[in-house]
Amino acid sequence: NCNFKGCGAYTGEMSVEQMKDLKIEWCLIGHSERREYFSESDELLATKLKYILDAGMKCVFCIGEKLPEREKGLEATMAVCITQLEQVKGMLDPEKVVIAYEPVWAIGTGVTATAEQAQETHAEIRKWIAANVSEECAAGIRIQYGGSANAANAAELSAQPDVDGFLVGGASLKPEFAEIVAAISKAK
């Protein structure tokens, strides 16, 4: 995560300039905890993404719905994802931005979207990008899955054509992380 403005009195936040001094190339923004607990709006995240890209860094941009939206179906899920992407669509450069689709209801819960749910959502995100940005962007942008990916589900999720990788949370701290990496490497 980073702040939105650069060096200054932003206690607890890092500036992109500080990250670059540390040779950090990527910044992750939009994670559900930041959206919920720190009230980071879509407008603020658009400002942050512009700041990151203008500074020459790359970004993992997180999107995803809560359980009530998922329970209403794909249309409601996509309404949330589209709202989260709308203000950044002009900045979706496949060379600089990775989208991490993280169904909020699956983060850290051990509950994972089925491979079919992940695929249909990733495909719809890609379809929306094709219609609202460009087909070239849609074909080139990586869309990672990030809802409780683990060694047990990595192979099946990796086999989905629109799942381009994983944003791994808690499982990255466990020995099974190597199995997750091996699964995506084998599939892609």
Side-chain angles (χ1 to χ4, degrees), residues 6-18:
C7 293
Y10 304 102
T11 302
E13 297 289 323
M14 281 191 79
S15 72
V16 167
E17 292 79 8
Q18 290 170 309

Side-chain angles (χ1 to χ4, degrees), residues 55-148:
M57 288 184 65
K58 299 175 184 176
C59 183
V60 176
F61 191 85
C62 300
I63 63 172
E65 83 286 4
K66 294 181 178 180
L67 188 57
E69 289 89 18
R70 171 50 73 177
E71 289 174 337
K72 292 177 186 172
L74 184 59
E75 189 174 316
T77 292
M78 283 307 299
V80 172
C81 293
I82 289 167
T83 297
Q84 293 171 341
L85 287 169
E86 187 65 43
Q87 293 191 39
V88 300
K89 67 183 178 185
M91 295 180 268
L92 294 180
D93 178 344
E95 296 296 318
K96 299 175 184 173
V97 178
V98 169
I99 295 170
Y101 166 65
E102 294 196 296
V104 178
W105 49 271
I107 298 171
T109 64
V111 177
T112 308
T114 65
E116 294 76 22
Q117 287 173 318
Q119 170 56 30
E120 74 179 358
T121 307
H122 281 230
E124 285 298 310
I125 292 166
R126 201 174 300 283
K127 181 178 165 184
W128 182 86
I129 293 169
N132 292 276
V133 180
S134 73
E135 289 190 19
E136 180 182 25
C137 180
I141 201 157
R142 285 178 284 167
I143 305 174
Q144 297 179 332
Y145 176 78
S148 292

Side-chain angles (χ1 to χ4, degrees), residues 153-168:
N153 60 31
E156 186 178 13
L157 286 164
S158 296
Q160 304 308 307
D162 288 295
V163 175
D164 298 320
F166 300 111
L167 182 63
V168 182

Side-chain angles (χ1 to χ4, degrees), residues 13-53:
E13 297 289 323
M14 281 191 79
S15 72
V16 167
E17 292 79 8
Q18 290 170 309
M19 291 179 190
K20 288 178 72 173
D21 285 348
L22 294 169
K23 308 293 186 230
I24 296 170
E25 297 178 15
W26 287 86
C27 185
L28 183 144
I29 62 172
H31 199 275
S32 62
E33 284 97 354
R34 297 291 306 187
R35 289 177 185 269
E36 184 170 346
Y37 304 136
F38 295 91
S39 301
E40 291 193 354
S41 66
D42 296 325
E43 295 80 10
L44 176 62
L45 292 168
T47 299
K48 282 185 171 190
L49 182 57
K50 182 176 182 340
Y51 167 53
I52 291 164
L53 297 177

Side-chain angles (χ1 to χ4, degrees), residues 106-112 147-154 168-182:
I107 298 171
T109 64
V111 177
T112 308
S148 292
N150 57 50
N153 60 31
V168 182
S172 68
L173 303 174
K174 299 176 183 174
E176 73 178 83
F177 183 64
E179 296 173 48
I180 298 169
V181 173

